[in-house]
Amino acid sequence: GGGTKDELLYFHIPKIGSMKVWLVMGYLLCPECIYLHPHGLEGLRVVCAAGTIIDCRTVTIWTHVELYKIFHDKTFISGYEAALEKKGFKDGKAAFKEAVQQFTATSASEHMRRREYLARRITQIYHTLSDCPGLFGPQWGLVVSALALAREEIMWYFQHLIPLPKEERVYTKLKLDLGVGFPDLASLFASCLQLRNCAVKYLDTVSQYHSTYIRDVLNGRIEETCRSCEGLDQQVPEFIQAATQTVKESSEGDSLIFPGFRLDIERAQILMLRRCGPNGSSTSLTANQTKLMASLTKSWHVSLPACRPMDSLFQAAGFQQLWWYAAEFQGFMREAMSTSPANALVMLQITDDFPRAGHIKLPRQLQEVGAKAMDLAEDSLRSIAARAVQLIRQQTQESNMILAELCRQAVLEMATVRVFTREYCPGEYLIEAIMADLTSFIKSNLWIKDCMTPPSVVEQRVKSHVATLRVVEVYAGVPMQEIVEPVFAALFVDTDGGLIGSALKLPEKAQRSGREATAIGKWFLAEILKPKVYTVPFQQRFEGKHSQLDQLTSPSELQALCRLIGPYGVRGIEKVMLKRCADNAQRVMSCLTNNSYLLRSLSAEDKNQMDASKIMKLTEISQLHDMAKALLELGTILEFRKLLLSALGEVMEPTKIPESLRIALSSTNGRLRSKDTSALDTLAHDCGAAGRLWPVDPALRTALTADGGPLSPANVNQGSWTHAVYALSAFVLSNSMAPLEARYNPTRQAFRNNIHCAPSAILALVVLSQAPSPSGKGPSNAEEDPTVLAERKIQGVITDLVSCTARLVVEVLHQREEKGKTKKDQDHIELLYLEHLLSAAEAWNGNSTVRRVGLPEALARSVHLWQLKSRNTTSLDTFDDDDD
């Protein structure tokens, strides 16, 4: 050792920061050296060029300000003039002023060039060593030296971001233009941390190399040099022998012996340096002694990476002092995110160095600094992820390149980032931000000023937005399905509602997910129940003035909605609709309960011998008009559900699931379903393939017959619905049949108040009130099957319902004629309602028995005759799309 002049240079460079502080502190504490030392002014220029500020154990010292005060101190001036006369002081003062001005004019650009050079060189070192990691051992001095120089340049930048206090004075305004150096600083940060991370991976290689180097090279060199030295203290060879012997006897890879080795080396060096002291026997070392001293010094330095390579690395490349400039560093991070988020992500690792700051000693201080470091890291990660979302939306070549580098860093290079006691996964933050952005995008496009956007438009926008996310799949390797599915599930899937094919549960507590599907259901419910909104059966949609339902309820738009929200989203809409259905059924039951005495007295009469006076007692029913409104609402909701489920079946048709379920349903006879087919019925309904069961579909049955529901077994068994036929027949006596309420549009073949929907609601209530609860057991003889018997009973009840309604219609028409209040074609409202009721009854019974048995022939003829004339009728009180 010692043969090369700069052999120990790499071991001294990592201490350059401490050297600068000591130099500045020396000039500030002993300013007389400026004029007493022959190179004092040269050293002053070096101190001024080092910077305007230094940090020493949380103490911030403004170098130029303190020197300015020194040059205006009377004691210093008198001492300077006494040593070099007044001219010498003036020259020194001028040199100081010139050094300050030169620093202000050139330091920013000079340090920028240094940062650029260091960034290039460190990047080269990184690529070389990452390809050949075995070189980390012999090139360790170069690595730590380069990292130490980079750290000093970075610290210099942040130190000089702080403006000079206003109350302080210097010859010139100490304000540096550091903005131009931002890009090179970011790249220097990134390259420095990349090299440091790579070095951490191969610390074992570094330790093994230096241990082997000491054992196989330096030990022999030290012993040989020691034997050739003369005049050494007697104990020096003993210490050297103890040190070399310790290394020889240790096993390979044993790093625990090096603290003792370093101690013996230090003892030998101290004894040798004593000879050069005031009381020493010699004033200088001989050539061999100098060579031995150099070998001992090198062994001492090499032993540090041999036993503690991590300490050796972080002494040179640790950024603990940046904690004192946390606010400036956070601002720098925000600026870096806009231009190079990948570098900002790399720089995030620096926050883990903050708790290692030298002034932190107490556990409480450590926890406080660690908590702030973690908060800074989390905020930065969220900001970087938000920047990634912006880049995804830009979709330019430049943004894609930036995004690709960011994804590479987040997924490959920095899968995890540890800050204090917590580990962060940048990739997870990135995916979380993309999912949050997609969620926000869908929500913002679903609604326009509290009105729903046409689903086809939303579908196209969402498809286009999802297509832009393909870059994440390409660059980050994250399947698009893992991003899109959770977002749509959170928006449209109500986890409390159960799985597809299971019984739908009505909401009983706060909803945890699927709120957008619920919001869509509430919006449709409010719109279809508005006044002057009606269904158009043959066009399969809703219409109404000042409403967009004619477009939004068309088959194409409902199909787009089903594609967007899926079967689970449709279940979410159904939960809202069925809750309102249950409320309306409860209103009907309340009417039945309050009029039970009247209805029971009518049921006791012989239906065939019941005269007009008795049947017209139905006009005495209280709450009749409220029941009629409930039936209209219930029928309107059922019609909308029919359209929605039909659209769902069309959407799922390519999967062949609905067709298979329809075939399975057609192979099971009967409109009343048993326990054996309930699972099939529910699955078919959730897939839009249970149309043949309408209007008594499984979801409606579950909602109305659940425990506590209006048609629960308890309420049915108590007789609340026993006499429902008479009350439901009295619908024709309500205000809903009034000409002003039930205005008819011949072109649309629809009533403005939707009385053509009431038969569906009435039929559903009749069937559910008479149907037995599914029992999984039944006799082998089909004729004795309770389900078959119940169907026959319900067919009879439906026939009675039609017959009773027809008799009421005849009586109403007759009384109206007797009172002379009949206008031409005014009676057609009741007749047409009766025709709708007949059609619904025939569809459920599956034959025309209802029309033949329950309807008088003359009345049936009048209904069909009016239907033929309806499109050419001008005297009927009608409405069109231009009417209010």
Side-chain angles (χ1 to χ4, degrees):
T4 305
K5 179 181 180 181
D6 298 327
E7 187 175 8
L8 301 177
L9 179 63
Y10 285 146
F11 297 111
H12 296 316
I13 287 178
K15 301 177 182 178
I16 191 171
S18 299
M19 295 177 185
K20 181 179 71 173
V21 173
W22 278 108
L23 177 63
V24 173
M25 294 297 292
Y27 266 79
L28 295 181
L29 294 174
C30 303
E32 294 80 6
C33 64
I34 297 176
Y35 57 84
L36 294 179
H37 196 279
H39 300 290
L41 287 179
E42 184 179 350
L44 178 65
R45 293 188 182 93
V46 173
V47 170
C48 292
T52 62
I53 186 173
I54 63 169
D55 294 312
C56 184
R57 290 283 186 177
T58 71
V59 177
T60 299
I61 299 175
W62 295 90
T63 307
H64 294 181
V65 173
E66 296 300 327
L67 288 173
Y68 179 85
K69 293 178 181 178
I70 288 173
F71 272 93
H72 288 77
D73 182 71
K74 293 181 180 180
T75 304
F76 176 78
I77 294 174
S78 60
Y80 205 125
E81 291 178 349
L84 298 177
E85 299 181 351
K86 289 186 178 181
K87 184 178 183 303
F89 173 73
K90 289 182 179 180
D91 292 341
K93 190 174 183 179
F96 170 62
K97 184 176 181 180
E98 180 184 0
V100 172
Q101 291 175 344
Q102 184 177 5
F103 171 83
T104 305
T106 63
S107 61
S109 58
E110 181 180 350
H111 281 272
M112 182 183 69
R113 288 192 295 272
R114 292 182 187 177
R115 291 192 294 269
E116 291 175 349
Y117 171 77
L118 284 172
R120 290 194 304 269
R121 291 291 295 131
I122 291 176
T123 302
Q124 293 173 0
I125 294 172
Y126 166 73
H127 289 304
T128 301
L129 297 182
S130 60
D131 291 339
C132 303
L135 293 177
F136 267 107
Q139 298 297 330
W140 186 248
L142 175 64
V143 171
V144 295
S145 298
L147 293 177
L149 291 173
R151 180 187 61 183
E152 292 305 315
E153 287 300 319
I154 291 171
M155 290 303 304
W156 185 93
Y157 180 89
F158 284 101
Q159 287 171 345
H160 289 81
L161 285 177
I162 301 177
L164 180 71
K166 293 182 179 180
E167 63 273 10
E168 302 293 353
R169 294 183 57 192
V170 188
Y171 292 111
T172 184
K173 188 176 182 181
L174 293 176
K175 185 175 180 181
L176 306 180
D177 184 15
L178 300 177
V180 295
F182 170 78
D184 59 88
L185 184 66
S187 61
L188 179 59
F189 251 129
S191 58
C192 183
L193 291 171
Q194 280 181 335
L195 179 58
R196 192 178 81 173
N197 293 340
C198 187
V200 170
K201 296 178 183 178
Y202 300 103
L203 289 179
D204 290 341
T205 301
V206 174
S207 176
Q208 184 178 1
Y209 170 82
H210 286 88
S211 299
T212 305
Y213 184 72
I214 292 174
R215 180 180 294 104
D216 298 343
V217 179
L218 291 182
N219 270 1
R221 188 179 298 174
I222 291 173
E223 291 177 347
E224 181 181 353
T225 308
C226 183
R227 286 193 296 267
S228 63
C229 288
E230 297 179 355
L232 290 176
D233 190 283
Q234 184 179 358
Q235 289 183 317
V236 171
E238 295 178 1
F239 288 134
I240 292 176
Q241 184 178 4
T244 56
Q245 193 66 25
T246 301
V247 175
K248 290 178 181 179
E249 294 177 355
S250 65
S251 59
E252 185 174 354
D254 183 9
S255 60
L256 298 178
I257 52 94
F258 286 105
F261 173 82
R262 289 163 62 87
L263 180 60
D264 290 334
I265 293 295
E266 289 173 352
R267 288 172 175 172
Q269 287 180 312
I270 292 172
L271 288 175
M272 292 180 66
L273 291 174
R274 280 182 181 177
R275 297 177 61 84
C276 302
N279 300 322
S281 59
S282 176
T283 58
S284 62
L285 297 176
T286 64
N288 287 336
Q289 291 175 349
T290 302
K291 188 175 179 181
L292 176 61
M293 178 65 75
S295 297
L296 292 175
T297 303
K298 186 172 183 179
S299 298
W300 188 90
H301 285 295
V302 170
S303 65
L304 180 61
C307 63
R308 298 197 303 270
M310 180 69 78
D311 293 347
S312 173
L313 178 64
F314 276 90
Q315 285 178 6
F319 291 92
Q320 301 90 329
Q321 292 180 345
L322 265 182
W323 168 246
W324 302 332
Y325 306 95
E328 288 77 14
F329 176 71
Q330 192 170 9
F332 177 79
M333 285 283 288
R334 285 195 295 267
E335 192 172 353
M337 291 170 196
S338 61
T339 57
S340 179
N343 286 343
L345 181 59
V346 174
M347 288 186 286
L348 191 66
Q349 303 167 85
I350 292 175
T351 55
D352 189 41
D353 294 354
F354 291 168
R356 300 190 182 99
H359 70 285
I360 300 175
K361 299 298 182 183
L362 299 177
R364 178 180 56 81
Q365 293 177 322
L366 181 65
Q367 293 298 326
E368 290 177 358
V369 174
K372 292 179 180 179
M374 290 188 293
D375 292 341
L376 174 58
E378 187 161 356
D379 292 342
S380 300
L381 277 173
R382 296 192 185 282
S383 299
I384 292 171
R387 176 56 179 158
V389 171
Q390 294 176 357
L391 293 171
I392 291 173
R393 290 200 173 191
Q394 289 178 7
Q395 286 295 297
T396 62
Q397 184 176 2
E398 181 181 0
S399 66
N400 286 344
M401 292 176 61
I402 297 175
L403 182 64
E405 180 63 21
L406 174 60
C407 291
R408 186 183 67 82
Q409 287 289 347
V411 178
L412 300 179
E413 299 292 336
M414 296 178 59
T416 58
V417 178
R418 183 176 181 84
V419 178
F420 195 46
T421 59
R422 189 183 303 172
E423 283 193 355
Y424 299 92
C425 297
E428 293 181 2
Y429 280 85
L430 180 62
I431 300 304
E432 180 183 343
I434 294 173
M435 292 170 62
D437 178 68
L438 179 58
T439 301
S440 175
F441 180 84
I442 295 174
K443 286 184 176 180
S444 62
N445 282 275
L446 270 177
W447 308 100
I448 302 177
K449 296 181 179 179
D450 298 327
C451 182
M452 187 176 177
T453 309
S456 59
V457 176
V458 179
E459 182 186 18
Q460 291 300 321
R461 291 177 181 175
V462 170
K463 284 183 177 179
S464 176
H465 183 76
V466 170
T468 63
L469 300 181
R470 294 290 178 186
V471 294
V472 180
E473 187 174 28
V474 173
Y475 298 141
V478 180
M480 192 56 51
Q481 187 177 4
E482 294 183 6
I483 299 176
V484 176
E485 276 191 5
V487 171
F488 278 82
L491 288 174
F492 303 119
V493 178
D494 184 2
T495 55
D496 298 327
L499 301 174
I500 293 293
S502 63
L504 185 63
K505 302 175 184 177
L506 294 184
E508 297 178 354
K509 54 185 178 180
Q511 192 171 345
R512 294 181 296 176
S513 59
R515 291 186 177 88
E516 288 305 310
T518 302
I520 293 172
K522 290 180 178 179
W523 185 86
F524 271 115
L525 184 63
E527 290 294 317
I528 63 176
L529 296 182
K530 282 183 178 179
K532 303 174 186 178
V533 174
Y534 56 94
T535 62
V536 184
F538 74 93
Q539 291 185 347
Q540 296 185 352
R541 67 180 182 184
F542 280 72
E543 286 191 5
K545 194 172 184 180
H546 310 300
S547 174
Q548 293 183 336
L549 287 178
D550 54 342
Q551 177 187 5
L552 295 178
T553 58
S554 63
S556 60
E557 290 297 336
L558 288 180
Q559 289 174 19
L561 177 64
C562 292
R563 284 193 297 269
L564 187 67
I565 66 178
Y568 277 104
V570 173
R571 281 173 68 94
I573 295 176
E574 283 218 280
K575 284 183 65 173
V576 178
M577 300 288 179
L578 293 173
K579 182 67 170 60
R580 190 62 170 266
C581 289
D583 294 341
N584 286 318
Q586 189 69 40
R587 291 165 62 187
V588 174
M589 191 183 75
S590 176
C591 177
L592 297 177
T593 303
N594 294 335
N595 295 276
S596 58
Y597 178 78
L598 174 60
L599 298 175
R600 191 162 47 248
S601 64
L602 289 175
S603 297
E605 299 287 341
D606 187 354
K607 298 181 180 62
N608 297 325
Q609 297 180 3
M610 188 181 298
D611 57 15
S613 61
K614 292 181 179 180
I615 197 171
M616 287 305 291
K617 287 184 179 180
L618 291 173
T619 57
E620 301 175 8
I621 293 179
S622 62
Q623 298 179 339
L624 175 61
H625 306 306
D626 182 67
M627 182 189 72
K629 291 181 179 179
L631 289 173
L632 287 177
E633 282 193 7
L634 180 57
T636 302
I637 295 172
L638 292 181
E639 288 294 333
F640 176 80
R641 291 179 63 245
K642 183 179 181 181
L643 296 178
L644 181 63
L645 293 170
S646 176
L648 177 62
E650 292 296 327
V651 168
M652 297 192 68
E653 190 65 36
T655 64
K656 301 301 180 185
I657 294 177
E659 185 61 28
S660 302
L661 292 173
R662 290 191 188 100
I663 295 173
L665 286 180
S666 62
S667 64
T668 57
N669 297 323
R671 300 296 296 273
L672 288 181
R673 314 303 290 173
S674 65
K675 185 177 180 180
D676 296 334
T677 61
S678 59
L680 172 64
D681 298 340
T682 305
L683 180 59
H685 172 79
D686 289 341
C687 295
R692 69 181 295 268
L693 302 179
W694 189 85
V696 191
D697 54 77
L700 182 66
R701 181 189 296 274
T702 301
L704 300 188
T705 62
D707 292 340
L711 284 155
S712 63
N715 288 332
V716 173
N717 294 334
Q718 288 175 3
S720 301
W721 294 86
T722 304
H723 314 294
V725 169
Y726 291 99
L728 297 176
S729 301
F731 178 80
V732 296
L733 303 176
S734 66
N735 290 340
S736 300
M737 305 298 291
L740 292 179
E741 292 288 332
R743 299 175 67 185
Y744 186 71
N745 188 325
T747 305
R748 300 287 190 268
Q749 296 184 12
F751 286 92
R752 184 173 62 178
N753 63 347
N754 279 328
I755 61 173
H756 53 287
C757 298
S760 300
I762 293 173
L763 187 64
L765 295 178
V766 168
V767 173
L768 291 175
S769 65
Q770 301 295 326
S773 59
S775 63
K777 301 178 181 180
S780 58
N781 187 353
E783 293 296 331
E784 298 176 358
D785 190 334
T787 304
V788 176
L789 296 177
E791 281 195 24
R792 292 178 181 176
K793 177 184 175 182
I794 291 174
Q795 289 175 358
V797 173
I798 291 176
T799 302
D800 292 343
L801 172 69
V802 173
S803 177
C804 186
T805 305
R807 295 181 67 181
L808 278 174
V809 170
V810 171
E811 190 61 28
V812 168
L813 300 182
H814 178 67
Q815 290 185 5
R816 190 180 295 159
E817 185 177 358
E818 285 183 347
K819 294 179 181 180
K821 295 182 179 180
T822 304
K823 297 181 181 179
K824 187 178 181 181
D825 290 331
Q826 184 178 359
D827 302 335
H828 293 157
I829 296 176
E830 288 83 359
L831 295 176
L832 189 56
Y833 165 75
L834 184 59
E835 174 63 23
H836 280 286
L837 180 61
L838 281 168
S839 299
E842 288 177 342
W844 202 90
N845 282 5
N847 53 53
S848 60
T849 306
V850 178
R851 186 181 298 271
R852 185 176 67 254
V853 175
L855 188 65
E857 185 176 355
L859 189 59
R861 288 179 180 176
S862 66
V863 173
H864 288 295
L865 179 63
W866 185 86
Q867 276 190 309
L868 293 174
K869 297 179 179 179
S870 60
R871 290 184 178 275
N872 298 320
T873 299
T874 57
S875 60
L876 184 65
D877 189 10
T878 63
F879 77 100
D880 55 33
D881 294 336
D882 296 328
D883 291 334
D884 289 332

